[in-house]
Amino acid sequence: MKQYITEHQSPYLDLCAEVSEILYEGKSDFQDIVIAESKEYGRVLVLDGVFQTSDRDEFTYHENIAHIPLFLHPQPKNVLIIGGGDGGTAREAVRHPEAEHVTMVDIDGKVIELSKQYFPRIASAMLEQNPRLTVKVGDGIAFMKEAENLYDVVIVDCSDPVGPGEGLFTREFYKDTYKALKADGIFVQQTESPFMHRKLVKEVFDAVSAIFPITRLYTAFIPLYPTGMHCFTMGSKKYDPLTWEPNRKRIFPTQYYNEGIQKSAFVLPNFVKELLYGEAGK
Ligand code: SAM
């Protein structure tokens, strides 16, 4: 008999993936966790019924969430990742030799341990115990409250704004993030689909705009996520991605990211501009 995992992407739309094997099914203190071998996307991680990553398309997400802010900053020495328990964003961050200290804080130690076991390629920096990477288990919201003037780049690689990730989408968290960044710091958060999650995208954009002098949205094609069109909201204290010029050479290979993408990711379709800026944006 065929087996499926279904994500309810909206009340009216499901993503139903045929799987050949369920490798792990359990509960942590924070969420339901399923790891399965899917026929289309390879191995998948599913938290609370939502596909988080897959062996086949993970590079589309991890390269975009990591390299766009990291290459915008000329010297990203101190990097903080909130969430990102699968290790993919940390793996991309340590590829930058400028990143002397990368700290990852995920609330769920079980996601971290299972990712090391079942997603060795994604979790490689954690498995290799890269000396520039520190992995902490804890609440990113509480962690951010304590930090002041410490980070060059903060990347919020969180789950959806339900469950433990909910507080990562609030004005208070963005204020704490602003405080945690150095004077020229950059913040990026994954903010779902600008096609399907319009309300969330607009609310986050307005909240970040009220705090950061430069707020931009960029998009990437992430096949596994709702609508395939995903966006990331960036708050920056100094560097504007719209005037970015290459500031150093990329010395590692990538599958999605390139210098053209660094610029084109910020070029928005009119329906997204209208969502963010109203009619005037067009
Ligand atoms: N790329 C993914 C996506 O958009 O679906 C996110 C992947 S990553 C696995 C999300 C992580 O955020 C999970 O491991 C979860 O434990 C973590 N997380 C959720 N709330 C958190 C919080 N308050 N502090 C730190 N980590 C949190």
Side-chain angles (χ1 to χ4, degrees):
M1 216 179 55
K2 287 186 178 179
Q3 262 190 307
Y4 297 91
I5 294 182
T6 301
E7 172 183 337
H8 303 299
Q9 294 193 338
S10 87
Y12 321 106
L13 192 71
D14 287 350
L15 173 66
C16 182
E18 188 179 340
V19 297
S20 50
E21 197 184 350
I22 304 275
L23 300 163
Y24 177 88
E25 196 166 11
K27 239 182 189 330
S28 69
D29 290 342
F30 303 96
Q31 48 213 342
D32 292 332
I33 307 174
V34 174
I35 295 168
E37 210 62 74
S38 80
K39 295 209 167 173
E40 190 62 44
Y41 285 112
R43 201 164 280 188
V44 288
L45 171 67
V46 187
L47 299 179
D48 282 341
V50 177
F51 289 100
Q52 302 287 311
T53 197
S54 81
D55 262 342
R56 186 154 169 233
D57 86 333
E58 58 87 10
F59 71 92
T60 62
Y61 177 83
H62 294 127
E63 289 186 13
N64 278 292
I65 198 169
H67 298 319
I68 291 194
L70 288 169
F71 276 115
L72 177 61
H73 199 294
Q75 269 301 323
K77 264 192 186 172
N78 237 346
V79 180
L80 173 65
I81 299 163
I82 299 292
D86 51 61
T89 301
R91 177 197 65 194
E92 295 304 319
V94 298
R95 288 191 167 143
H96 293 251
E98 294 77 12
E100 290 173 9
H101 306 285
V102 177
T103 306
M104 185 191 114
V105 183
D106 196 291
I107 203 165
D108 199 335
K110 199 151 192 168
V111 173
I112 295 173
E113 287 319 309
L114 289 167
S115 298
K116 287 193 209 163
Q117 190 179 344
Y118 290 101
F119 296 92
R121 205 167 47 81
I122 301 178
S124 59
M126 301 198 296
L127 280 169
E128 288 157 12
Q129 300 189 330
N130 186 301
R132 290 183 289 126
L133 175 63
T134 306
V135 177
K136 292 179 189 277
V137 176
D139 182 4
I141 302 163
F143 189 88
M144 201 66 92
K145 269 203 190 317
E146 301 301 315
E148 200 168 335
N149 195 24
L150 278 179
Y151 301 103
D152 299 296
V153 174
V154 168
I155 300 172
V156 183
D157 179 3
C158 53
S159 17
D160 300 348
V162 281
E166 201 175 340
L168 297 168
F169 291 82
T170 61
R171 257 166 215 258
E172 206 185 336
F173 177 70
Y174 301 138
K175 277 191 195 149
D176 290 338
T177 304
Y178 185 91
K179 172 176 67 68
L181 285 165
K182 290 186 194 158
D184 60 351
I186 299 166
F187 149 75
V188 160
Q189 180 172 30
Q190 79 81 11
T191 44
E192 315 268 2
S193 164
F195 187 84
M196 188 181 273
H197 307 107
R198 292 172 56 84
K199 186 168 174 288
L200 174 81
V201 170
K202 173 70 173 151
E203 280 172 5
V204 171
F205 193 80
D206 287 348
V208 175
S209 302
I211 296 161
F212 283 82
I214 300 165
T215 303
R216 307 284 179 215
L217 190 96
Y218 66 95
T219 61
F221 168 63
I222 320 280
L224 185 65
Y225 292 168
T227 78
M229 184 190 198
H230 205 73
C231 71
F232 302 85
T233 304
M234 173 184 281
S236 177
K237 290 191 179 180
K238 180 174 175 190
Y239 308 110
D240 188 344
L242 301 187
T243 56
W244 178 83
E245 291 299 334
N247 51 42
R248 61 184 187 274
K249 225 179 149 37
R250 177 167 53 86
I251 53 161
F252 49 86
T254 46
Q255 293 179 78
Y256 190 122
Y257 178 88
N258 57 43
E259 290 64 33
I261 297 278
Q262 176 82 33
K263 290 186 174 192
S264 70
F266 291 91
V267 178
L268 301 175
N270 281 356
F271 78 90
V272 180
K273 283 190 184 179
E274 200 183 326
L275 172 67
L276 303 179
Y277 306 109
E279 278 296 313
K282 288 204 279 184

